[in-house]
Amino acid sequence: MFFPARFSLYALFVLVSSALALTTASWSNKQVLVMYDSSLTSPENVPADLFKVNEDFKLSFVDYSDEEAQLFLGEDAIYHHLVFLPSTKRTAAATGIVDKFKLLDFFNKGGNIVAVSSSENSLPESVRLFLNEAGIYPAPKGFVVDDHFDTVSVGADSLLEPRILPDAEVDKYDGTAALVGNNAFTFPLVKAPKTSYTVNPKDASLTAEKTWTLGEQGFLAAAFQGLNSARLAWVGSEQLLTKELVKWTFQEKGVLKLQFVEHYRADEPGLSNRTQYRIKNDVVYTAGVSEWKDGKWVPYVPATEDDVLQLSFKMLDPYHRLNLTILGPGASEENGPNDLNIFYVNFTTPDHHGMFTFELDYKRPGLTFIEDRRVVSVRHLANDEYKRSWDIPNSWLYMTSFAAVVVAWFLFVMNFMYIGEKRPTSAEKETTEKK
């Protein structure tokens, strides 16, 4: 009678111990799960060095046929990154991981995903549907990229986003292609040759209905980055799966961090991030930005002169939209190394009162997004803050006119009373009457 109770306690103990172990591991290591098809490869044949970016990464391998595998422990993701390798089957038994809605939840919680297709095999249907949500539409299983006149190859002229995929050289491409939707956060990485097409080699005739892509309409690799900066990368062949692409997807490169934001009146630099300004105040706005590179934070420098951070000072519409200038490097910690660049701009608040927003919105392909909003109020002048009459140049005309009227009136009164014809006295009046 006591055996079931002891067994339940033991199972609970094992479950709690596993949860604690996974939680501890997730804090100390970055967990990477590689999904593979045992009929195509084995964990020993998977290029572990490609996915193990550094010593902080820990790899786990799960077969698509593992029905017990799970992606979440409660509401928390067990892994930081997922890798999906090609599979021979349309559906996967590991529904605890290979599920469209679970993948969406994983991505929305900040998880990163790498998906790899091939010329002979494809990804499970749930993974393909997840890619469709991101605007990436891989060709069906068995579709390959071919060319009318030449061998399909990949070179520097085929690459579209050097920040994400800086280099890739493939003399003879053996893989598939995808269509990419019109999504601002989807980035085509490698374009197909102009004379290429994607079809199933088993089809006897080449028709528009049986063709997945034509020419540069197709892409051999694509990426997507969500508003939460979670990343997704898809490649049509293992030939394009490079270390740099994996590092970008796993957020080991192209990661920006907003270290601080300050705004203050130019005549009161010691009082920053105030909540109220006055119309026509001179304001200074500063921001510190770092970039994660080679395992440490370094000052961020935009790639080109045209690539600038912009500040919008807006109510409903921007009253000011200003480019920020690099002031110089700085440190995020006292007495620490220079790990950020300080950007600044000076401007004058508009002659309009109301609620305004300091908005910094910096979104560039290949970089994590920076968004910061600070709401402040802008008031009118107080009664004792208006200029006196003598401080306004245009008022001198009216003040002069007023002074001229006063002086003229004073002279008129003086003339009337003292300078005009003398009035006769009573004695003079009597003498005049006797005559």
Side-chain angles (χ1 to χ4, degrees):
M1 294 179 63
F2 295 99
F3 178 74
R6 284 185 294 184
F7 180 78
S8 300
L9 290 174
Y10 177 74
L12 180 61
F13 173 77
V14 171
L15 180 61
V16 172
S17 300
S18 302
L20 290 175
L22 287 170
T23 303
T24 305
S26 65
W27 280 105
S28 59
N29 297 101
K30 297 178 181 179
Q31 303 293 317
V32 181
L33 175 63
V34 180
M35 299 293 299
Y36 70 98
D37 190 333
S38 57
S39 64
L40 297 176
T41 186
S42 63
E44 293 76 16
N45 295 327
V46 174
D49 293 339
L50 188 63
F51 304 115
K52 193 172 182 179
V53 178
N54 55 49
E55 295 301 323
D56 294 334
F57 283 73
K58 181 180 179 181
L59 268 61
S60 302
F61 298 89
V62 173
D63 193 342
Y64 282 116
S65 61
D66 189 350
E67 299 180 358
E68 302 297 327
Q70 296 294 325
L71 184 57
F72 292 94
L73 183 63
E75 295 184 356
D76 298 325
I78 302 174
Y79 307 96
H80 297 91
H81 315 291
L82 293 180
V83 178
F84 292 102
L85 298 180
S87 174
T88 58
K89 298 180 180 180
R90 179 182 176 89
T91 59
T95 55
I97 298 176
V98 188
D99 178 80
K100 168 189 169 182
F101 298 103
K102 290 185 178 180
L103 293 178
L104 284 172
D105 190 19
F106 174 78
F107 189 83
N108 290 333
K109 290 182 178 179
N112 306 299
I113 299 175
V114 174
V116 184
S117 296
S118 69
S119 58
E120 297 180 358
N121 301 288
S122 183
L123 294 163
E125 187 63 21
S126 296
V127 180
R128 284 171 49 84
L129 292 175
F130 168 74
L131 292 172
N132 295 166
E133 293 289 331
I136 302 173
Y137 304 90
K141 179 181 178 180
F143 277 60
V144 299
V145 179
D146 204 348
D147 197 291
H148 287 288
F149 306 102
D150 200 356
T151 302
V152 179
S153 61
V154 175
D157 57 341
S158 305
L159 306 180
L160 302 175
E161 292 294 343
R163 273 183 178 146
I164 303 175
L165 189 61
D167 54 11
E169 294 289 338
V170 179
D171 295 330
K172 187 176 181 180
Y173 179 76
D174 180 22
T176 186
L179 296 170
V180 175
N182 188 20
N183 189 327
F185 303 121
T186 303
F187 316 121
L189 301 181
V190 182
K191 63 181 179 180
K194 294 181 179 180
T195 56
S196 67
Y197 55 92
T198 305
V199 296
N200 192 332
K202 297 180 181 179
D203 293 331
S205 59
L206 180 63
T207 61
E209 292 78 12
K210 298 179 180 179
T211 304
W212 191 258
T213 68
L214 285 173
E216 294 182 347
Q217 176 193 33
F219 298 95
L220 311 183
F224 175 83
Q225 180 169 283
L227 288 174
N228 62 347
S229 292
R231 291 171 172 177
L232 162 68
W234 171 87
V235 293
S237 171
E238 293 182 3
Q239 296 170 308
L240 296 177
L241 191 59
T242 65
K243 190 82 169 183
E244 290 299 313
L245 179 58
V246 174
K247 287 177 63 177
W248 178 86
T249 309
F250 290 174
Q251 301 207 23
E252 290 299 313
K253 60 175 289 189
V255 177
L256 301 183
K257 181 179 181 181
L258 186 63
Q259 298 282 11
F260 74 88
V261 167
E262 286 188 354
H263 52 84
Y264 51 87
R265 283 175 49 177
D267 56 349
E268 294 182 354
L271 184 58
S272 62
N273 295 334
R274 57 194 302 155
T275 58
Q276 187 180 79
Y277 289 92
R278 194 195 67 194
I279 61 172
K280 298 183 178 180
N281 268 159
D282 292 328
V283 177
V284 180
Y285 180 92
T286 60
V289 184
S290 301
E291 181 181 7
W292 184 256
K293 186 180 293 185
D294 298 329
K296 62 180 180 180
W297 293 109
V298 298
Y300 171 65
V301 179
T304 62
E305 294 183 357
D306 297 331
D307 183 11
V308 294
L309 281 76
Q310 280 193 335
L311 169 69
S312 295
F313 192 67
K314 59 192 299 185
M315 185 179 283
L316 294 177
D317 296 318
Y319 277 73
H320 291 291
R321 182 168 286 155
L322 307 164
N323 293 338
L324 273 68
T325 305
I326 295 181
L327 180 63
S332 59
E333 298 179 357
E334 188 176 358
N335 299 325
N338 290 337
D339 57 356
L340 59 87
N341 259 334
I342 302 173
F343 297 80
Y344 81 101
V345 67
N346 301 329
F347 69 98
T348 303
T349 56
D351 189 6
H352 190 90
H353 73 286
M355 302 301 295
F356 285 81
T357 302
F358 289 96
E359 182 180 76
L360 179 64
D361 191 354
Y362 185 70
K363 294 183 175 70
R364 298 294 183 272
L367 299 174
T368 52
F369 303 144
I370 293 179
E371 290 183 287
D372 186 79
R373 293 176 176 84
R374 312 279 174 113
V375 179
V376 297
S377 61
V378 176
R379 64 174 177 83
H380 271 308
L381 293 172
N383 290 336
D384 58 350
E385 292 177 329
Y386 284 94
K387 289 184 177 181
R388 301 297 95 185
S389 298
W390 49 84
D391 292 330
I392 304 174
N394 292 342
S395 68
W396 282 102
L397 174 64
Y398 303 98
M399 294 178 64
T400 303
S401 301
F402 172 75
V405 170
V406 172
V407 171
W409 175 254
F410 178 77
L411 294 176
F412 170 75
V413 172
M414 294 299 294
N415 177 68
F416 181 81
M417 295 180 60
Y418 302 106
I419 303 176
E421 182 181 353
K422 186 178 180 180
R423 299 176 64 181
T425 61
S426 56
E428 292 176 344
K429 287 182 179 181
E430 292 178 358
T431 305
T432 304
E433 290 177 356
K434 289 179 179 181
K435 291 179 179 181

